[in-house]
Amino acid sequence: NPLSTGHLFCEAFRKFLYISKMVAAADSLVWELVKNNNSFMRKKSGKTSRSGSVRFSVERGNLASMSTYKYSGIANSKTIDISSTDDNRAALTLKTKKAGTSGKSGKATIALNKSFRRTEKTITGQSTDNYYRSDLKSAALAKYSAVYRGNRAAKGVKKARAIKRGRA
């Protein structure tokens, strides 16, 4: 019966896709493939012809939200991400060695719920002292400061900052 052979082929192909792993590629090659087009890119045009356009990126693992090789969460095999959790706390996420082949389960998450100075020490320890990504230390601390400030405003501990809108 041709209908049953097609069904068997689809089942076998589905199992093959489930079992097969992602192929490891060099970080620079991945960046060359995704730098001009990817689903996380946001292009903003400048207001004048001199200012040009700016490319932002919203993927996880991108601390500065800039579309550059240094900050890319897609192209780099080692990334650091600091994000806010549902209970208005912060979390530090690192890619693990399994990330290249396993996808979502290749991340280690560390809760950042201590005092500001102890959390700063944790971020420094995970990025620099651990020989992970020492070039992202200042960007990680800046991102944590922004997340910390936003969480304090969300909890009602501190008032939100007023947004400056040009000349008054």
Side-chain angles (χ1 to χ4, degrees):
N1 188 357
L3 205 59
S4 64
T5 55
H7 179 70
L8 289 174
F9 175 75
C10 288
E11 285 297 316
F13 187 67
R14 191 176 297 134
K15 285 181 183 177
F16 170 74
L17 288 178
Y18 182 74
I19 294 170
S20 64
K21 294 185 177 183
M22 294 171 37
V23 177
D27 293 351
S28 56
L29 174 64
V30 174
W31 174 247
E32 289 298 320
L33 294 172
V34 301
K35 72 178 180 181
N36 290 325
N37 294 309
N38 65 59
S39 61
F40 301 106
M41 189 177 296
R42 306 287 183 260
K43 295 179 183 177
K44 298 288 182 183
S45 297
K47 292 186 178 183
T48 64
S49 60
R50 269 188 0 183
S51 63
S53 64
V54 182
R55 289 195 213 170
F56 294 104
S57 187
V58 294
E59 81 259 11
R60 289 186 178 172
N62 191 328
L63 287 171
S65 297
M66 298 296 293
S67 183
T68 61
Y69 176 67
K70 176 181 178 178
Y71 296 115
S72 177
I74 301 170
N76 288 308
S77 56
K78 293 181 176 182
T79 61
I80 300 172
D81 189 29
I82 296 175
S83 57
S84 181
T85 59
D86 294 335
D87 59 343
N88 292 326
R89 295 187 181 237
L92 173 72
T93 308
L94 305 168
K95 269 190 187 179
T96 61
K97 287 188 178 185
K98 292 193 304 184
T101 56
S102 64
K104 285 188 177 183
S105 65
K107 293 184 176 82
T109 304
I110 300 165
L112 301 175
N113 51 10
K114 305 282 189 223
S115 67
F116 190 86
R117 288 183 187 269
R118 288 181 70 181
T119 301
E120 179 185 1
K121 188 176 179 185
T122 301
I123 293 169
T124 304
Q126 290 296 324
S127 62
T128 307
D129 300 342
N130 204 9
Y131 300 108
Y132 193 72
R133 287 286 302 269
S134 59
D135 58 328
L136 295 179
K137 177 187 163 190
S138 61
L141 292 172
K143 177 85 179 252
Y144 176 70
S145 296
V147 169
Y148 181 78
R149 196 168 46 244
N151 285 343
R152 286 178 54 90
K155 287 179 186 176
V157 176
K158 192 161 179 122
K159 289 184 182 177
R161 285 186 175 182
I163 299 171
K164 295 181 181 179
R165 300 184 190 269
R167 295 181 182 162

